[in-house]
Amino acid sequence: MTTEHATKDSWQMLSEMMAAHGVCMDGLIEHTETGDTGSPASMLRLLERFAIEVQDESLHLSERPLMPGTNDYVLSSLCHCTTIQQALQQLANAYNFIHAGNYNQLECTERHLIYRIDDRSFPYTADARQYIAFNLDMVLVFIHGVITTLAGSAVPLLKIKSRNQAASQSPLPATFTETALSFSASCFELHYPAELATRAIQRPDGQILNSSLVYSELQRLGTEPCGQSATSFPLKVRLALESGLRDQASVARTLGCSVATLRRRLAAHRTSFRQYKEQLLNQEAKLLLMQQLTLEDIAHKLSFSDARSFKRAFRNWNGISPRQYAERKG
């Protein structure tokens, strides 16, 4: 099976899962421009937007729905950790607390540091069965992204185990082309060298660990499928925005070009800096609305001058007011 076929099968699984809940994947893709629709980072971004649409970060797989933004809440709990082992243990503890069970486990042997997900007793919904393994494989991709982000560089991944019965329906072969993969296992596992446990966490100035930063690291560190490692210019712009930059001058400087060149190269892709920035702000606004923040607080977090300016922008983006959006999704 080629990585191209694996990517197509994963994309088909995504489409079917969304369609089962009345969500059109093509419609989400229009607002999830990544420049690379085959990478794990782009699939994770798409799943995040799916979670916003259905207002459940478990994607209706769990009997206990999770509010969108739960992953970012979990990642924020790692702020006091100093080593990779401490961070992974806290990550497991936080997810276990949220899901009310000991499903996430960390094991450190003489040779391996293992992050394990044993979901065999997890309270899945009745119609979740065909999508469980695919989504847990994507969770493994996400956790690997968390680890590489915390480490500040690519880390050696020795082995991956999955309960997925069919490699053709898993995103793992296309994502980890040089890692030993084992399917039909009893649990989902990531195996790293034991020495990774004591590696100190890197904390870039001004960056708070969140899902967007993890997606950016997955893209930057080259965990894309074979043949897709070259990052397009529009994607570089998006990654810069997700890292916290918000003005054209800062993004252009980060990409090593002038503002005029930034505009010209985006225009060549029939897009603009403003379009990318508004897409990102709109996504963040929807997540904050579901966290029941006041409009004044949201306006401040998104750097609007006041709540009135934010409300006007939100209506322009979505055709409805923030209050109407929150009522529909509530």
Side-chain angles (χ1 to χ4, degrees), residues 246-253 259 262-263 273-274:
R246 287 293 184 266
D247 62 278
Q248 292 186 81
S250 297
V251 171
R253 186 164 53 250
V259 171
L262 172 70
R263 292 173 177 170
F273 182 84
R274 179 177 179 178

Side-chain angles (χ1 to χ4, degrees), residues 85-144:
Q85 183 173 359
Q86 289 177 1
L88 289 183
Q89 187 60 66
Q90 174 58 30
L91 189 72
N93 293 344
Y95 278 128
N96 287 340
F97 178 79
I98 287 170
H99 291 295
N102 189 34
Y103 309 113
N104 295 260
Q105 303 151 17
L106 186 67
E107 179 182 357
C108 192
T109 69
E110 183 177 345
R111 298 178 58 187
H112 291 173
L113 177 67
I114 304 169
Y115 191 96
R116 179 180 298 111
I117 303 175
D118 184 352
D119 68 327
R120 287 172 292 184
S121 61
F122 189 86
Y124 289 112
T125 57
D127 57 352
R129 182 175 300 276
Q130 60 183 319
Y131 307 117
I132 292 172
F134 172 81
N135 277 278
L136 266 293
D137 283 349
M138 289 303 300
V139 170
L140 292 182
V141 174
F142 180 78
I143 292 174
H144 177 67

